[in-house]
Short mmCIF file of all heavy atoms in Angstrom, two decimals:
data_model
loop_
_atom_site.label_atom_id
_atom_site.label_comp_id
_atom_site.label_asym_id
_atom_site.label_seq_id
_atom_site.Cartn_x
_atom_site.Cartn_y
_atom_site.Cartn_z
N MET A 24 -13.24 2.65 -4.75
CA MET A 24 -13.53 1.51 -3.86
C MET A 24 -12.37 1.32 -2.91
O MET A 24 -11.22 1.37 -3.27
CB MET A 24 -13.67 0.24 -4.71
CG MET A 24 -14.10 -0.92 -3.98
SD MET A 24 -14.42 -2.25 -5.20
CE MET A 24 -14.90 -3.50 -4.11
N THR A 25 -12.69 1.17 -1.67
CA THR A 25 -11.68 1.07 -0.65
C THR A 25 -11.16 -0.40 -0.52
O THR A 25 -11.88 -1.33 -0.85
CB THR A 25 -12.19 1.54 0.72
OG1 THR A 25 -11.12 1.54 1.63
CG2 THR A 25 -13.33 0.69 1.20
N VAL A 26 -9.92 -0.52 -0.09
CA VAL A 26 -9.29 -1.85 0.08
C VAL A 26 -9.99 -2.50 1.26
O VAL A 26 -10.13 -1.94 2.32
CB VAL A 26 -7.77 -1.70 0.40
CG1 VAL A 26 -7.18 -3.00 0.74
CG2 VAL A 26 -7.08 -1.08 -0.80
N ARG A 27 -10.42 -3.76 1.06
CA ARG A 27 -11.08 -4.50 2.20
C ARG A 27 -10.27 -5.80 2.31
O ARG A 27 -10.54 -6.81 1.58
CB ARG A 27 -12.53 -4.81 1.86
CG ARG A 27 -13.36 -3.53 1.80
CD ARG A 27 -14.82 -3.94 1.56
NE ARG A 27 -15.62 -2.80 1.06
CZ ARG A 27 -16.19 -1.91 1.87
NH1 ARG A 27 -16.07 -2.06 3.11
NH2 ARG A 27 -16.84 -0.91 1.31
N LEU A 28 -9.38 -5.83 3.24
CA LEU A 28 -8.62 -7.06 3.51
C LEU A 28 -8.80 -7.46 4.96
O LEU A 28 -9.12 -6.58 5.80
CB LEU A 28 -7.08 -6.79 3.29
CG LEU A 28 -6.71 -6.44 1.86
CD1 LEU A 28 -5.23 -6.15 1.80
CD2 LEU A 28 -6.99 -7.61 0.91
N ASP A 29 -8.65 -8.71 5.24
CA ASP A 29 -8.82 -9.22 6.59
C ASP A 29 -7.91 -8.48 7.56
O ASP A 29 -6.70 -8.31 7.25
CB ASP A 29 -8.44 -10.69 6.58
CG ASP A 29 -8.66 -11.40 7.90
OD1 ASP A 29 -7.92 -11.08 8.88
OD2 ASP A 29 -9.60 -12.19 7.97
N PRO A 30 -8.36 -8.01 8.68
CA PRO A 30 -7.54 -7.27 9.61
C PRO A 30 -6.31 -8.05 10.09
O PRO A 30 -5.26 -7.43 10.29
CB PRO A 30 -8.49 -7.02 10.80
CG PRO A 30 -9.82 -7.10 10.24
CD PRO A 30 -9.76 -8.10 9.10
N GLN A 31 -6.44 -9.39 10.24
CA GLN A 31 -5.27 -10.18 10.63
C GLN A 31 -4.23 -10.13 9.51
O GLN A 31 -3.01 -10.12 9.79
CB GLN A 31 -5.67 -11.61 10.94
CG GLN A 31 -6.49 -11.73 12.19
CD GLN A 31 -6.88 -13.17 12.50
OE1 GLN A 31 -7.06 -13.98 11.59
NE2 GLN A 31 -6.97 -13.44 13.79
N LEU A 32 -4.65 -10.16 8.25
CA LEU A 32 -3.71 -10.09 7.14
C LEU A 32 -2.99 -8.72 7.14
O LEU A 32 -1.79 -8.60 6.94
CB LEU A 32 -4.40 -10.30 5.80
CG LEU A 32 -3.60 -10.15 4.53
CD1 LEU A 32 -2.48 -11.21 4.56
CD2 LEU A 32 -4.41 -10.29 3.31
N MET A 33 -3.73 -7.65 7.39
CA MET A 33 -3.19 -6.33 7.44
C MET A 33 -2.13 -6.20 8.51
O MET A 33 -1.12 -5.47 8.43
CB MET A 33 -4.27 -5.27 7.61
CG MET A 33 -5.07 -5.00 6.37
SD MET A 33 -4.17 -4.43 4.92
CE MET A 33 -3.54 -2.87 5.51
N ASP A 34 -2.33 -6.92 9.62
CA ASP A 34 -1.35 -6.94 10.75
C ASP A 34 -0.01 -7.55 10.37
O ASP A 34 1.04 -7.12 10.88
CB ASP A 34 -1.90 -7.72 11.95
CG ASP A 34 -2.99 -6.94 12.70
OD1 ASP A 34 -3.13 -5.71 12.50
OD2 ASP A 34 -3.70 -7.59 13.47
N VAL A 35 -0.02 -8.46 9.42
CA VAL A 35 1.27 -9.13 9.04
C VAL A 35 1.90 -8.59 7.73
O VAL A 35 3.06 -8.83 7.47
CB VAL A 35 1.12 -10.67 9.00
CG1 VAL A 35 0.75 -11.19 10.33
CG2 VAL A 35 0.12 -11.08 7.94
N LEU A 36 1.10 -7.90 6.89
CA LEU A 36 1.62 -7.41 5.66
C LEU A 36 2.63 -6.28 5.93
O LEU A 36 2.41 -5.48 6.83
CB LEU A 36 0.52 -6.84 4.74
CG LEU A 36 -0.37 -7.83 4.08
CD1 LEU A 36 -1.47 -7.14 3.25
CD2 LEU A 36 0.43 -8.74 3.17
N ALA A 37 3.68 -6.28 5.19
CA ALA A 37 4.74 -5.26 5.35
C ALA A 37 5.32 -4.92 3.95
O ALA A 37 5.25 -5.73 3.03
CB ALA A 37 5.81 -5.76 6.29
N CYS A 38 5.92 -3.75 3.88
CA CYS A 38 6.55 -3.27 2.66
C CYS A 38 7.71 -4.23 2.29
O CYS A 38 8.47 -4.64 3.18
CB CYS A 38 7.08 -1.91 2.85
SG CYS A 38 7.92 -1.20 1.41
N PRO A 39 7.85 -4.64 1.07
CA PRO A 39 8.97 -5.51 0.68
C PRO A 39 10.30 -4.83 0.60
O PRO A 39 11.33 -5.49 0.37
CB PRO A 39 8.55 -6.03 -0.67
CG PRO A 39 7.63 -4.97 -1.23
CD PRO A 39 6.94 -4.36 -0.05
N SER A 40 10.40 -3.53 0.82
CA SER A 40 11.68 -2.86 0.79
C SER A 40 12.43 -3.20 2.10
O SER A 40 11.92 -3.88 2.99
CB SER A 40 11.53 -1.31 0.69
OG SER A 40 10.96 -0.82 1.85
N ASP A 41 13.66 -2.78 2.17
CA ASP A 41 14.54 -3.19 3.30
C ASP A 41 14.00 -2.80 4.68
O ASP A 41 14.32 -3.42 5.66
CB ASP A 41 15.93 -2.61 3.10
CG ASP A 41 16.64 -3.21 1.90
OD1 ASP A 41 16.25 -4.36 1.57
OD2 ASP A 41 17.57 -2.59 1.38
N ASP A 42 13.18 -1.73 4.78
CA ASP A 42 12.72 -1.36 6.10
C ASP A 42 11.50 -2.20 6.60
O ASP A 42 11.28 -2.23 7.81
CB ASP A 42 12.34 0.16 6.10
CG ASP A 42 11.27 0.50 5.09
OD1 ASP A 42 10.64 -0.38 4.51
OD2 ASP A 42 11.09 1.70 4.87
N HIS A 43 10.82 -2.87 5.75
CA HIS A 43 9.72 -3.77 6.14
C HIS A 43 8.67 -3.07 7.03
O HIS A 43 8.23 -3.68 7.98
CB HIS A 43 10.23 -5.04 6.79
CG HIS A 43 11.18 -5.84 5.94
ND1 HIS A 43 10.82 -6.38 4.74
CD2 HIS A 43 12.47 -6.06 6.12
CE1 HIS A 43 11.88 -7.00 4.24
NE2 HIS A 43 12.89 -6.85 5.04
N ALA A 44 8.33 -1.87 6.70
CA ALA A 44 7.37 -1.12 7.46
C ALA A 44 5.99 -1.57 7.24
O ALA A 44 5.66 -2.16 6.19
CB ALA A 44 7.52 0.34 7.17
N PRO A 45 5.06 -1.34 8.19
CA PRO A 45 3.65 -1.71 7.99
C PRO A 45 3.04 -0.97 6.83
O PRO A 45 3.49 0.09 6.45
CB PRO A 45 2.99 -1.32 9.28
CG PRO A 45 4.06 -1.10 10.28
CD PRO A 45 5.32 -0.74 9.48
N LEU A 46 1.94 -1.52 6.29
CA LEU A 46 1.21 -0.92 5.20
C LEU A 46 -0.14 -0.44 5.71
O LEU A 46 -0.67 -1.02 6.70
CB LEU A 46 1.00 -1.95 4.08
CG LEU A 46 2.24 -2.49 3.44
CD1 LEU A 46 1.88 -3.68 2.55
CD2 LEU A 46 3.00 -1.41 2.66
N ARG A 47 -0.68 0.60 5.07
CA ARG A 47 -2.00 1.09 5.44
C ARG A 47 -2.84 1.14 4.15
O ARG A 47 -2.30 1.31 3.04
CB ARG A 47 -1.99 2.41 6.13
CG ARG A 47 -1.53 3.58 5.25
CD ARG A 47 -1.73 4.90 5.94
NE ARG A 47 -1.44 5.98 5.08
CZ ARG A 47 -0.20 6.46 4.81
NH1 ARG A 47 0.82 5.95 5.40
NH2 ARG A 47 -0.02 7.46 3.99
N ALA A 48 -4.15 0.99 4.26
CA ALA A 48 -5.01 1.03 3.11
C ALA A 48 -5.17 2.46 2.63
O ALA A 48 -5.22 3.43 3.40
CB ALA A 48 -6.40 0.45 3.52
N GLY A 49 -5.23 2.61 1.32
CA GLY A 49 -5.45 3.88 0.66
C GLY A 49 -4.14 4.71 0.59
O GLY A 49 -3.04 4.15 0.86
N THR A 50 -4.32 5.92 0.20
CA THR A 50 -3.19 6.86 0.10
C THR A 50 -3.53 8.09 0.94
O THR A 50 -4.69 8.31 1.21
CB THR A 50 -2.89 7.32 -1.35
OG1 THR A 50 -4.02 8.09 -1.81
CG2 THR A 50 -2.67 6.14 -2.28
N PRO A 51 -2.51 8.93 1.25
CA PRO A 51 -2.87 10.12 1.98
C PRO A 51 -3.85 11.04 1.22
O PRO A 51 -4.74 11.65 1.82
CB PRO A 51 -1.52 10.85 2.17
CG PRO A 51 -0.52 9.75 2.10
CD PRO A 51 -1.09 8.75 1.17
N ALA A 52 -3.71 11.09 -0.08
CA ALA A 52 -4.60 11.95 -0.89
C ALA A 52 -5.94 11.25 -1.16
O ALA A 52 -6.94 11.98 -1.34
CB ALA A 52 -3.88 12.24 -2.23
N ASP A 53 -6.00 9.97 -1.17
CA ASP A 53 -7.27 9.27 -1.48
C ASP A 53 -7.37 8.02 -0.57
O ASP A 53 -6.90 6.91 -0.94
CB ASP A 53 -7.29 8.86 -2.93
CG ASP A 53 -8.61 8.18 -3.35
OD1 ASP A 53 -9.51 8.08 -2.52
OD2 ASP A 53 -8.67 7.76 -4.52
N PRO A 54 -7.96 8.17 0.60
CA PRO A 54 -8.09 7.02 1.53
C PRO A 54 -8.91 5.85 0.97
O PRO A 54 -8.86 4.74 1.47
CB PRO A 54 -8.71 7.60 2.78
CG PRO A 54 -8.67 9.07 2.60
CD PRO A 54 -8.47 9.38 1.18
N GLN A 55 -9.67 6.10 -0.10
CA GLN A 55 -10.50 5.05 -0.76
C GLN A 55 -9.83 4.34 -1.84
O GLN A 55 -10.45 3.45 -2.45
CB GLN A 55 -11.81 5.73 -1.21
CG GLN A 55 -12.63 6.43 -0.18
CD GLN A 55 -13.11 5.52 0.95
OE1 GLN A 55 -13.59 4.41 0.67
NE2 GLN A 55 -12.99 5.90 2.19
N ALA A 56 -8.59 4.66 -2.16
CA ALA A 56 -7.87 4.09 -3.31
C ALA A 56 -7.62 2.59 -3.08
O ALA A 56 -7.41 2.14 -1.93
CB ALA A 56 -6.58 4.81 -3.57
N ASP A 57 -7.61 1.82 -4.14
CA ASP A 57 -7.27 0.38 -4.08
C ASP A 57 -5.76 0.20 -4.04
O ASP A 57 -5.14 -0.35 -4.96
CB ASP A 57 -7.87 -0.37 -5.25
CG ASP A 57 -9.37 -0.58 -5.12
OD1 ASP A 57 -9.86 -0.53 -3.97
OD2 ASP A 57 -10.02 -0.86 -6.09
N VAL A 58 -5.14 0.72 -3.00
CA VAL A 58 -3.70 0.74 -2.85
C VAL A 58 -3.35 0.51 -1.39
O VAL A 58 -4.09 0.94 -0.52
CB VAL A 58 -3.12 2.09 -3.28
CG1 VAL A 58 -1.63 2.21 -3.06
CG2 VAL A 58 -3.43 2.33 -4.75
N LEU A 59 -2.23 -0.17 -1.16
CA LEU A 59 -1.68 -0.26 0.18
C LEU A 59 -0.45 0.66 0.17
O LEU A 59 0.43 0.50 -0.72
CB LEU A 59 -1.28 -1.72 0.55
CG LEU A 59 -2.42 -2.67 0.64
CD1 LEU A 59 -1.89 -4.07 0.95
CD2 LEU A 59 -3.43 -2.26 1.71
N THR A 60 -0.33 1.52 1.12
CA THR A 60 0.77 2.53 1.14
C THR A 60 1.72 2.17 2.34
O THR A 60 1.26 1.97 3.44
CB THR A 60 0.24 3.95 1.32
OG1 THR A 60 -0.63 4.20 0.21
CG2 THR A 60 1.37 4.94 1.29
N CYS A 61 2.99 2.19 2.04
CA CYS A 61 4.01 1.98 3.05
C CYS A 61 4.05 3.15 4.04
O CYS A 61 4.10 4.29 3.58
CB CYS A 61 5.37 1.74 2.43
SG CYS A 61 6.69 1.47 3.66
N THR A 62 4.06 2.88 5.31
CA THR A 62 4.11 3.94 6.30
C THR A 62 5.47 4.54 6.41
O THR A 62 5.60 5.63 7.05
CB THR A 62 3.65 3.42 7.66
OG1 THR A 62 4.44 2.31 8.09
CG2 THR A 62 2.17 2.95 7.63
N ALA A 63 6.48 3.91 5.87
CA ALA A 63 7.83 4.50 5.99
C ALA A 63 8.32 5.13 4.68
O ALA A 63 8.63 6.31 4.64
CB ALA A 63 8.86 3.39 6.36
N CYS A 64 8.29 4.37 3.57
CA CYS A 64 8.83 4.91 2.32
C CYS A 64 7.82 5.60 1.48
O CYS A 64 8.15 6.36 0.58
CB CYS A 64 9.53 3.77 1.56
SG CYS A 64 8.45 2.54 0.81
N GLY A 65 6.50 5.33 1.71
CA GLY A 65 5.45 6.00 0.98
C GLY A 65 5.09 5.39 -0.37
O GLY A 65 4.21 5.86 -1.08
N ARG A 66 5.73 4.28 -0.76
CA ARG A 66 5.39 3.59 -2.02
C ARG A 66 3.96 3.08 -1.92
O ARG A 66 3.47 2.64 -0.85
CB ARG A 66 6.30 2.38 -2.29
CG ARG A 66 7.67 2.77 -2.67
CD ARG A 66 8.50 1.47 -2.96
NE ARG A 66 9.84 1.69 -3.32
CZ ARG A 66 10.86 1.61 -2.49
NH1 ARG A 66 10.68 1.27 -1.23
NH2 ARG A 66 12.10 1.91 -2.94
N GLY A 67 3.27 3.06 -3.07
CA GLY A 67 1.94 2.52 -3.15
C GLY A 67 1.92 1.22 -3.89
O GLY A 67 2.48 1.09 -4.95
N PHE A 68 1.30 0.17 -3.26
CA PHE A 68 1.24 -1.14 -3.85
C PHE A 68 -0.24 -1.43 -4.26
O PHE A 68 -1.15 -1.34 -3.41
CB PHE A 68 1.72 -2.20 -2.88
CG PHE A 68 3.16 -2.04 -2.53
CD1 PHE A 68 3.50 -1.26 -1.36
CD2 PHE A 68 4.17 -2.57 -3.29
CE1 PHE A 68 4.85 -1.02 -1.09
CE2 PHE A 68 5.51 -2.39 -2.96
CZ PHE A 68 5.84 -1.62 -1.87
N PRO A 69 -0.44 -1.70 -5.51
CA PRO A 69 -1.88 -1.91 -6.00
C PRO A 69 -2.46 -3.15 -5.37
O PRO A 69 -1.77 -4.15 -5.03
CB PRO A 69 -1.71 -2.03 -7.50
CG PRO A 69 -0.30 -2.57 -7.72
CD PRO A 69 0.51 -1.96 -6.59
N VAL A 70 -3.80 -3.09 -5.24
CA VAL A 70 -4.60 -4.28 -4.85
C VAL A 70 -5.48 -4.59 -6.04
O VAL A 70 -6.30 -3.81 -6.44
CB VAL A 70 -5.44 -3.98 -3.57
CG1 VAL A 70 -6.31 -5.17 -3.21
CG2 VAL A 70 -4.54 -3.56 -2.44
N VAL A 71 -5.21 -5.74 -6.67
CA VAL A 71 -5.93 -6.17 -7.87
C VAL A 71 -6.85 -7.36 -7.55
O VAL A 71 -6.37 -8.40 -7.05
CB VAL A 71 -4.90 -6.58 -8.98
CG1 VAL A 71 -5.65 -7.01 -10.19
CG2 VAL A 71 -3.97 -5.40 -9.23
N ASP A 72 -8.11 -7.19 -7.72
CA ASP A 72 -9.12 -8.21 -7.41
C ASP A 72 -8.95 -8.74 -6.00
O ASP A 72 -9.05 -9.92 -5.72
CB ASP A 72 -8.98 -9.38 -8.44
CG ASP A 72 -9.40 -8.95 -9.81
OD1 ASP A 72 -10.25 -8.09 -9.98
OD2 ASP A 72 -8.83 -9.53 -10.78
N GLY A 73 -8.70 -7.83 -5.05
CA GLY A 73 -8.57 -8.17 -3.65
C GLY A 73 -7.22 -8.78 -3.26
O GLY A 73 -7.07 -9.21 -2.10
N ILE A 74 -6.28 -8.83 -4.17
CA ILE A 74 -4.96 -9.39 -3.87
C ILE A 74 -3.92 -8.29 -3.96
O ILE A 74 -3.68 -7.69 -4.99
CB ILE A 74 -4.62 -10.50 -4.92
CG1 ILE A 74 -5.68 -11.61 -4.84
CG2 ILE A 74 -3.21 -11.09 -4.67
CD1 ILE A 74 -5.61 -12.65 -5.95
N PRO A 75 -3.19 -8.07 -2.83
CA PRO A 75 -2.13 -7.06 -2.82
C PRO A 75 -0.94 -7.51 -3.71
O PRO A 75 -0.51 -8.68 -3.66
CB PRO A 75 -1.68 -6.99 -1.37
CG PRO A 75 -2.68 -7.72 -0.60
CD PRO A 75 -3.39 -8.66 -1.53
N VAL A 76 -0.47 -6.63 -4.57
CA VAL A 76 0.70 -6.88 -5.39
C VAL A 76 1.88 -6.24 -4.72
O VAL A 76 2.14 -5.03 -4.88
CB VAL A 76 0.46 -6.34 -6.85
CG1 VAL A 76 1.68 -6.66 -7.69
CG2 VAL A 76 -0.78 -6.95 -7.44
N LEU A 77 2.64 -7.03 -3.96
CA LEU A 77 3.75 -6.46 -3.15
C LEU A 77 5.08 -6.66 -3.85
O LEU A 77 6.03 -7.26 -3.31
CB LEU A 77 3.72 -7.13 -1.75
CG LEU A 77 2.45 -6.91 -0.94
CD1 LEU A 77 2.55 -7.59 0.40
CD2 LEU A 77 2.23 -5.39 -0.75
N LEU A 78 5.14 -6.13 -5.06
CA LEU A 78 6.39 -6.19 -5.82
C LEU A 78 6.92 -4.76 -5.96
O LEU A 78 6.17 -3.83 -6.39
CB LEU A 78 6.14 -6.77 -7.20
CG LEU A 78 5.64 -8.17 -7.26
CD1 LEU A 78 5.19 -8.56 -8.68
CD2 LEU A 78 6.69 -9.18 -6.69
N LEU A 79 8.18 -4.52 -5.62
CA LEU A 79 8.76 -3.17 -5.74
C LEU A 79 8.66 -2.67 -7.18
O LEU A 79 8.47 -1.46 -7.42
CB LEU A 79 10.19 -3.20 -5.26
CG LEU A 79 10.37 -3.35 -3.75
CD1 LEU A 79 11.84 -3.48 -3.40
CD2 LEU A 79 9.77 -2.18 -3.00
N GLU A 80 8.76 -3.53 -8.15
CA GLU A 80 8.66 -3.13 -9.56
C GLU A 80 7.26 -2.60 -9.94
O GLU A 80 7.14 -1.88 -10.88
CB GLU A 80 8.99 -4.29 -10.51
CG GLU A 80 10.25 -5.05 -10.34
CD GLU A 80 10.16 -6.06 -9.22
OE1 GLU A 80 9.21 -6.93 -9.21
OE2 GLU A 80 11.01 -6.02 -8.35
N GLU A 81 6.25 -3.08 -9.23
CA GLU A 81 4.89 -2.70 -9.50
C GLU A 81 4.43 -1.50 -8.67
O GLU A 81 3.32 -0.95 -8.87
CB GLU A 81 3.94 -3.87 -9.26
CG GLU A 81 4.18 -5.06 -10.15
CD GLU A 81 3.86 -4.81 -11.61
OE1 GLU A 81 2.86 -4.09 -11.89
OE2 GLU A 81 4.61 -5.27 -12.49
N ALA A 82 5.19 -1.12 -7.66
CA ALA A 82 4.84 -0.04 -6.74
C ALA A 82 4.88 1.34 -7.45
O ALA A 82 5.70 1.58 -8.28
CB ALA A 82 5.72 -0.07 -5.55
N THR A 83 4.01 2.18 -6.98
CA THR A 83 4.06 3.60 -7.44
C THR A 83 5.01 4.35 -6.49
O THR A 83 5.03 4.06 -5.29
CB THR A 83 2.67 4.28 -7.45
OG1 THR A 83 2.11 4.18 -6.17
CG2 THR A 83 1.74 3.64 -8.48
N PRO A 84 5.80 5.31 -7.00
CA PRO A 84 6.71 5.98 -6.17
C PRO A 84 5.95 6.86 -5.14
O PRO A 84 4.80 7.25 -5.39
CB PRO A 84 7.56 6.84 -7.11
CG PRO A 84 6.73 6.91 -8.32
CD PRO A 84 5.85 5.71 -8.41
N PRO A 85 6.63 7.20 -4.05
CA PRO A 85 5.93 8.08 -3.11
C PRO A 85 5.74 9.47 -3.66
O PRO A 85 6.49 9.90 -4.50
CB PRO A 85 6.96 8.10 -1.92
CG PRO A 85 8.26 7.62 -2.46
CD PRO A 85 7.93 6.81 -3.63
N VAL A 86 4.69 10.11 -3.22
CA VAL A 86 4.36 11.47 -3.64
C VAL A 86 5.02 12.41 -2.60
O VAL A 86 4.72 12.30 -1.42
CB VAL A 86 2.85 11.72 -3.70
CG1 VAL A 86 2.54 13.14 -4.07
CG2 VAL A 86 2.22 10.74 -4.68
N PRO A 87 5.89 13.31 -3.00
CA PRO A 87 6.48 14.23 -2.12
C PRO A 87 5.42 15.12 -1.41
O PRO A 87 4.39 15.40 -1.97
CB PRO A 87 7.41 15.13 -2.95
CG PRO A 87 7.60 14.31 -4.20
CD PRO A 87 6.36 13.51 -4.41
N ALA A 88 5.68 15.46 -0.14
CA ALA A 88 4.79 16.29 0.62
C ALA A 88 4.45 17.56 -0.14
O ALA A 88 5.33 18.20 -0.69
CB ALA A 88 5.38 16.56 1.97
N GLY A 89 3.21 17.93 -0.14
CA GLY A 89 2.78 19.17 -0.79
C GLY A 89 2.36 18.96 -2.25
O GLY A 89 1.77 19.83 -2.85
N GLU A 90 2.62 17.76 -2.83
CA GLU A 90 2.23 17.50 -4.20
C GLU A 90 1.02 16.62 -4.30
O GLU A 90 0.60 16.29 -5.40
CB GLU A 90 3.40 16.89 -4.98
CG GLU A 90 4.54 17.84 -5.25
CD GLU A 90 5.59 17.22 -6.12
OE1 GLU A 90 5.28 16.32 -6.88
OE2 GLU A 90 6.74 17.68 -6.06
N ALA A 91 0.50 16.14 -3.18
CA ALA A 91 -0.68 15.27 -3.23
C ALA A 91 -1.94 16.10 -3.23
O ALA A 91 -2.57 16.38 -2.28
CB ALA A 91 -0.69 14.37 -1.93
N ASP A 92 -2.33 16.49 -4.40
CA ASP A 92 -3.59 17.29 -4.59
C ASP A 92 -4.70 16.45 -5.17
O ASP A 92 -4.69 15.89 -6.10
CB ASP A 92 -3.34 18.48 -5.48
CG ASP A 92 -2.40 19.50 -4.75
OD1 ASP A 92 -2.43 19.53 -3.52
OD2 ASP A 92 -1.79 20.28 -5.47
#
């Protein structure tokens, strides 16, 4: 299931790490995943029941290039 968030919300959501980069829906390997992915650091933040969990402790680490199969 793909992430469905209000476009205005997506415009203001940002990664909670120091770079505060924008987030995009899905992952490079799975654009339909219920995850928001940081465009800078690559961390994945889960979306649970339509609510983004923007905690660094809950984020999945970025997948190095070439390992996303």
